[in-house]
Amino acid sequence: MLPHIFLKPTGGEALHLIHLPATSSVVENAPPGTLVHEFSVNLSVSLSPVIPGFPLVINPRPFTEAFRVNRLSGTNFEVVTTGKEQLDFETGPKTFDLQIYVKDDVGVTDLQVLTVQVTDVNEPPQFQGNLAQGLNLYVVERTNPGFIYQVEAFDPEDTSQNTPLSYFFISPSKNFRMSANGTLFSTTELDFEAGNKSFYLVVGVRDSGGLEASSTLQVTIVNINDEIPRFTSPRRVYSIPEELRPGTIVANITAVDPDDTGFPSYLLYSITTISSYFVIDQLTGTIQVAQRLDRDAGELRQNPTISLEVLVKDRPSGGQENRMQITFIVEDINDNPAMCRKLTFSIMLTENAANGTLLLDLNKFCFDDDSEAPNNKFNFTMPSGVGSSHRFSQDPAGSGRIVLIGDLDYENPSNLAAGNKYTVIIQVQDTAPPYYKNNIYISILTSPVNEFPLIFDRPSYVFDVSETRPARTRVGQVWATDEDFPQRSVTYSISSGGASLQYSNIFWINPKTGELQLVTKADHETTPIYILRIKATNGENTSSVTVTVNIIGENDEKPICTPNFYFMAIPVDLKVGTNIQNFKLTCTDLDSSPRSLRYSIGSGNINSHFTFSPNSGSNITHLLLASRFDYAGGLDKIWDYKLLVYITDDNLLSGRTRAGALVETGTVTLSIKVIPHPTTIITTAPRPRITYQILRENVYSRSAWYVPFISALGSIALLGLLGSLMVLLVKESVQINTVFDGEAIDPVTGKIYEFNSKTGARKWKGPLTQLPKWTESSPQQRGAGFRHPGS
């Protein structure tokens, strides 16, 4: 205990606690805030107030946080419970010494002890553990009546004094009994299948003071496998027809098990008898056909009865089971139809076969496996099929003898519509129910006979092709057929015609389609018309036709003029309209008339001093001076003119007035030198500009001797140049025409020809040199030799 500390002020009483020390009591399990004791504080003479937070409880014995001090007024206080600790008379301390310590703001203190005693109260009993929340109990069915569970409760007062508690059922049960000491008994044998699956029991307990508590017991009956499955299907004998399809359900065996609750898929079925004809679904009990049931063969022919034992279990092993005998009687049916060793036949007849010809006797192929009449009897129906009734029949009816009665002409339109192929359908049928039928298919093909010649669709052909069209251009197509069917493939070839100056044949024909193509360009001016002879063959017949190919002329030639180049010298004062040096331009065009030529000057005609007359409509024109030269006035500055002349053929063939699709243009170059007058003086001066010009009459002067000299010299040089070019051209032409550096085989005629790889020129080899020199050529050369020159 802390010592009392007193400040002794002069002339007065010291600070101290009133109503302390003291002893007080509180009941166990008191709630928070329960009043334990009230006291007050007598202030000192100085009336110094109590420091906030005081008085307070210090050093409680035993230590506890169950109490605290609350201020009621300035000097009045109380001790109450905090609720931080449970005050339990049976398990906790029964007495607490609380030291109450007070202090004012000048440091005066006092300390007194409050003794708190915990008093006992009677508490109701309590169920412990899981039983306090309710307990689930499990009892196996068929268990003998007797002990199930011991119920126990706790009471703070009675248990500590060994005073027994009293147990009882709040709601009575005829299947259970509760003893006064809490023992739970079953009074009957519990059967799960009888509907006793669970019980809800309310158990009470009472102490010596009369206080009670209750809890619940859920008693669940555990099902066990204790019942034998029972068959519920009433039938034991089943009559089934033979030839049922495998998988067909023929019986449905059903059973029930009283123990089914809680056992999904609980029943398993099986057949204990060895049998290859039936299987049973182990889950559903359905019996299905496992293999063919043939009443007319094997063991079923002697004994059609099959006995089976069906076993049902309620679990795969260690469970309850039951057995049942069932019998299947396999009934005979007419299940063997009339059969034939062959059901399809293929027959070939020529188109000129005679009526009455026997095609087939079906009796040699058909039979019936049924052992007894009338099941082994059969007959044949009349032939059916599109068009067959008019061409084929039985003789006599129903005999199975198929004969020809109609026309099989291969070219007959109705026979062509049928494809000259006929399908005859005949049924072989049982004479006894259920009248099984089998179809017999007879395919009859007609073979053609060559009766008609091969002819072209026209007596002759005329095709037109432009001379400007390139190689491989389609010229036209020929077509040859005969009236025999089916049509045989026709092969086409050029037997004659089509040669040009450079090529043995400028045409190629597709041997399969008859399409005629150009091997190279054709020249209207060289050969305007080609007459070809085309041969067609189908392996049996051969035919020929004449093909005329007109080469259509086109404007593909440029105008050629002489001279092509010319030099002229003219005096500066030449009179306007003068034909310059009597120059004349003469032009020719292989595919245009002189009237279609038109002349124009392109570059070089500065200030338009020169013109041609006439400028169109003639193949001869003259160069004229169109305007005078003005060097003195500054209009003209150059003295040497180079004129580029265009000669255009406006393609005015056949009287056309305007150019057609093609226009060709030739060119001529003219050089003109303007010779100034020897005495001409051009004087220019800056401001003011005064020009002095001396004009003389345009007369020939001896001093201009160089003009005709230069003209003559230029003409001689031009003629020499043209002569050299002609000599070179002749040499090159001779060399090209005599050099053949390759060989090839014509794909149509099979003949060998030589060709020039640069120009395309070809020539046929002689008969003695037709065999190719295979040993001297490489595989690449042999492959190239078979390529068409145009390809």
Side-chain angles (χ1 to χ4, degrees):
M1 180 178 294
L2 294 176
H4 292 282
I5 301 175
F6 295 102
L7 295 178
K8 297 182 178 181
T10 60
E13 188 177 1
L15 173 74
H16 66 277
L17 295 168
I18 303 175
H19 304 304
L20 289 175
T23 299
S24 185
S25 64
V26 62
V27 296
E28 65 173 329
N29 301 321
T34 301
L35 177 63
V36 178
H37 182 72
E38 292 184 351
F39 66 94
S40 61
V41 177
N42 187 24
L43 300 178
S44 66
V45 175
S46 64
L47 298 179
S48 297
V50 177
I51 295 176
F54 288 86
L56 54 79
V57 178
I58 63 174
N59 298 329
R61 295 176 183 169
F63 181 80
T64 181
E65 293 183 351
F67 305 97
R68 72 170 181 268
V69 177
N70 288 340
R71 180 188 293 269
L72 297 176
S73 63
T75 57
N76 296 318
F77 300 91
E78 66 177 359
V79 178
V80 297
T81 58
T82 63
K84 293 182 179 180
E85 294 181 7
Q86 189 72 24
L87 300 175
D88 190 353
F89 182 83
E90 289 77 21
T91 61
K94 296 178 176 56
T95 302
F96 296 92
D97 289 331
L98 308 179
Q99 298 184 34
I100 309 300
Y101 178 65
V102 64
K103 182 178 182 180
D104 63 11
D105 60 0
V106 295
V108 180
T109 64
D110 189 15
L111 180 67
Q112 298 295 334
V113 177
L114 173 64
T115 300
V116 179
Q117 295 180 343
V118 179
T119 59
D120 186 23
V121 295
N122 186 23
E123 299 172 89
Q126 299 176 359
F127 290 100
Q128 300 298 306
N130 292 335
L131 189 58
Q133 306 300 326
L135 187 64
N136 289 332
L137 301 177
Y138 295 90
V139 179
V140 177
E141 71 167 328
R142 301 293 184 183
T143 303
N144 293 329
F147 172 82
I148 295 179
Y149 185 72
Q150 180 64 50
V151 179
E152 293 183 356
F154 171 79
D155 185 81
E157 294 78 28
D158 291 358
T159 302
S160 62
Q161 299 174 8
N162 292 325
T163 302
L165 299 175
S166 177
Y167 297 89
F168 55 93
F169 275 146
I170 294 178
S171 56
S173 174
K174 66 178 181 178
N175 296 301
F176 299 93
R177 180 176 61 84
M178 174 68 70
S179 66
N181 64 357
T183 302
L184 178 65
F185 296 92
S186 62
T187 58
T188 60
E189 185 182 86
L190 302 175
D191 186 3
F192 184 88
E193 287 75 29
N196 300 325
K197 296 178 173 56
S198 64
F199 299 90
Y200 184 79
L201 305 177
V202 181
V203 179
V205 62
R206 184 182 299 113
D207 65 8
S208 60
L211 296 180
E212 297 181 354
S214 65
S215 183
T216 59
L217 293 177
Q218 179 77 29
V219 181
T220 300
I221 309 304
V222 178
N223 188 19
I224 63 173
N225 187 20
D226 59 341
E227 299 287 342
I228 296 176
R230 302 185 184 97
F231 288 100
T232 58
S233 52
R235 295 183 60 184
R236 297 293 185 270
V237 178
Y238 298 86
S239 295
I240 60 174
E242 65 171 328
E243 301 295 348
L244 288 177
R245 182 181 304 172
T248 301
I249 297 175
V250 294
N252 188 17
I253 307 302
T254 57
V256 294
D257 186 358
D259 293 316
D260 58 355
T261 302
F263 295 92
S265 302
Y266 58 97
L267 294 181
L268 300 175
Y269 300 87
S270 62
I271 297 176
T272 61
T273 309
I274 297 177
S275 175
S276 60
Y277 291 108
F278 302 99
V279 293
I280 189 168
D281 189 309
Q282 66 171 353
L283 299 179
T284 63
T286 56
I287 298 178
Q288 299 174 327
V289 177
Q291 69 175 30
R292 180 187 178 192
L293 296 170
D294 188 359
R295 175 65 177 81
D296 302 313
E299 60 184 12
L300 291 181
R301 188 178 187 91
Q302 304 300 326
N303 183 12
T305 302
I306 303 174
S307 295
L308 303 176
E309 182 185 69
V310 178
L311 171 67
V312 61
K313 287 185 176 183
D314 58 9
R315 63 179 60 180
S317 62
Q320 304 291 339
E321 65 182 40
N322 201 354
R323 299 169 187 265
M324 180 179 69
Q325 295 288 333
I326 62 173
T327 301
F328 289 101
I329 300 175
V330 181
E331 297 179 344
D332 186 25
I333 61 173
N334 180 21
D335 59 329
N336 288 318
M339 297 294 294
C340 298
R341 286 188 295 271
K342 288 180 62 177
L343 294 177
T344 59
F345 298 87
S346 181
I347 300 173
M348 178 71 74
L349 287 177
T350 60
E351 62 176 316
N352 55 3
N355 286 344
T357 300
L358 176 64
L359 279 64
L360 180 66
D361 187 354
L362 295 175
N363 287 287
K364 298 179 180 179
F365 300 93
C366 299
F367 57 92
D368 193 323
D369 274 342
D370 286 319
S371 59
E372 297 180 0
N375 293 336
N376 58 0
K377 302 298 180 181
F378 58 89
N379 56 21
F380 298 95
T381 63
M382 289 297 294
S384 62
V386 178
S388 63
S389 60
H390 301 293
R391 297 181 177 91
F392 311 100
S393 182
Q394 292 189 71
D395 185 23
S399 65
R401 289 171 50 87
I402 312 303
V403 297
L404 175 66
I405 62 171
D407 174 30
L408 294 181
D409 182 12
Y410 207 91
E411 291 74 33
N412 187 309
S414 63
N415 295 342
L416 284 175
N420 284 296
K421 180 178 180 180
Y422 313 96
T423 299
V424 177
I425 304 174
I426 296 178
Q427 289 183 336
V428 55
Q429 176 179 288
D430 278 353
T431 59
Y435 304 106
Y436 282 114
K437 299 177 182 179
N438 267 325
N439 288 339
I440 301 172
Y441 299 91
I442 305 173
S443 178
I444 302 170
L445 301 177
T446 304
S447 61
V449 177
N450 187 17
E451 301 173 295
F452 300 97
L454 178 68
I455 59 174
F456 284 89
D457 60 345
R458 302 181 194 173
S460 62
Y461 297 86
V462 177
F463 300 131
D464 296 333
V465 64
S466 171
E467 66 174 329
T468 61
R469 299 303 297 166
R472 296 189 180 181
T473 296
R474 183 182 186 275
V475 177
Q477 186 174 17
V478 298
W479 186 256
T481 57
D482 62 18
E483 296 183 10
D484 285 313
F485 283 93
Q487 293 287 334
R488 296 175 179 269
S489 62
V490 178
T491 301
Y492 301 91
S493 62
I494 301 175
S495 59
S496 64
S500 66
L501 294 178
Q502 293 183 337
Y503 298 95
S504 60
N505 202 329
I506 69 168
F507 300 99
W508 175 79
I509 190 167
N510 190 313
K512 294 182 179 180
T513 65
E515 182 180 79
L516 192 64
Q517 298 180 5
L518 286 175
V519 173
T520 184
K521 281 186 177 182
D523 188 9
H524 171 80
E525 288 73 26
T526 302
T527 307
I529 298 176
Y530 289 90
I531 306 297
L532 308 179
R533 193 69 179 170
I534 305 297
K535 183 177 72 173
T537 178
N538 62 2
E540 291 185 349
N541 297 330
T542 300
S543 181
S544 297
V545 70
T546 299
V547 176
T548 301
V549 181
N550 296 317
I551 308 302
I552 305 302
E554 299 286 353
N555 185 25
D556 62 340
E557 300 285 348
K558 293 182 179 181
I560 299 175
C561 302
T562 56
N564 182 262
F565 173 82
Y566 198 74
F567 175 82
M568 291 173 283
I570 62 175
V572 69
D573 54 356
L574 185 65
K575 184 179 180 180
V576 173
T578 302
N579 181 189
I580 298 175
Q581 290 188 1
N582 294 320
F583 176 77
K584 179 176 67 173
L585 191 63
T586 303
C587 301
T588 59
D589 193 321
L590 296 179
D591 53 15
S592 298
S593 69
R595 292 189 305 104
S596 67
L597 299 182
R598 176 169 48 88
Y599 306 91
S600 61
I601 302 175
S603 62
N605 192 14
I606 300 173
N607 293 332
S608 303
H609 286 298
F610 307 98
T611 187
F612 279 97
S613 178
N615 60 4
S616 63
S618 173
N619 67 323
I620 299 175
T621 185
H622 300 82
L623 181 64
L624 304 181
L625 183 66
S627 62
R628 59 184 293 274
F629 298 103
D630 185 5
Y631 293 98
L635 176 65
D636 295 314
K637 298 182 182 301
I638 64 173
W639 297 85
D640 295 305
Y641 293 87
K642 187 174 184 179
L643 306 182
L644 183 62
V645 181
Y646 295 106
I647 303 93
T648 302
D649 60 355
D650 280 338
N651 196 19
L652 300 178
L653 289 175
S654 305
R656 287 178 290 188
T657 58
R658 289 188 299 173
L662 299 175
V663 175
E664 297 289 344
T665 300
T667 58
V668 171
T669 303
L670 300 179
S671 293
I672 302 175
K673 184 176 181 63
V674 179
I675 306 300
H677 198 279
T679 59
T680 301
I681 299 175
I682 301 174
T683 304
T684 59
R687 302 174 182 175
R689 187 177 67 180
I690 302 174
T691 302
Y692 297 91
Q693 183 174 7
I694 300 174
L695 300 178
R696 291 187 176 184
E697 186 179 359
N698 186 15
V699 295
Y700 177 76
S701 174
R702 293 181 180 272
S703 62
W705 59 269
Y706 57 87
V707 174
F709 174 78
I710 292 176
S711 300
L713 184 62
S715 299
I716 293 172
L718 180 60
L719 290 174
L721 178 62
L722 291 175
S724 300
L725 290 176
M726 289 298 294
V727 171
L728 291 176
L729 183 61
V730 170
K731 289 183 178 181
E732 181 67 16
S733 176
V734 172
Q735 181 179 2
I736 290 176
N737 288 334
T738 57
V739 176
F740 296 94
D741 55 357
E743 292 183 1
I745 298 177
D746 186 78
V748 178
T749 63
K751 295 181 179 181
I752 299 176
Y753 59 87
E754 296 177 317
F755 63 89
N756 186 294
S757 60
K758 293 182 179 180
T759 65
R762 300 186 302 174
K763 73 173 182 178
W764 295 105
K765 297 187 67 174
L768 297 179
T769 59
Q770 280 294 310
L771 292 177
K773 299 179 182 179
W774 298 112
T775 57
E776 299 178 2
S777 60
S778 64
Q780 293 81 359
Q781 291 171 333
R782 290 197 299 271
F786 281 92
R787 294 179 59 191
H788 193 273
S791 61

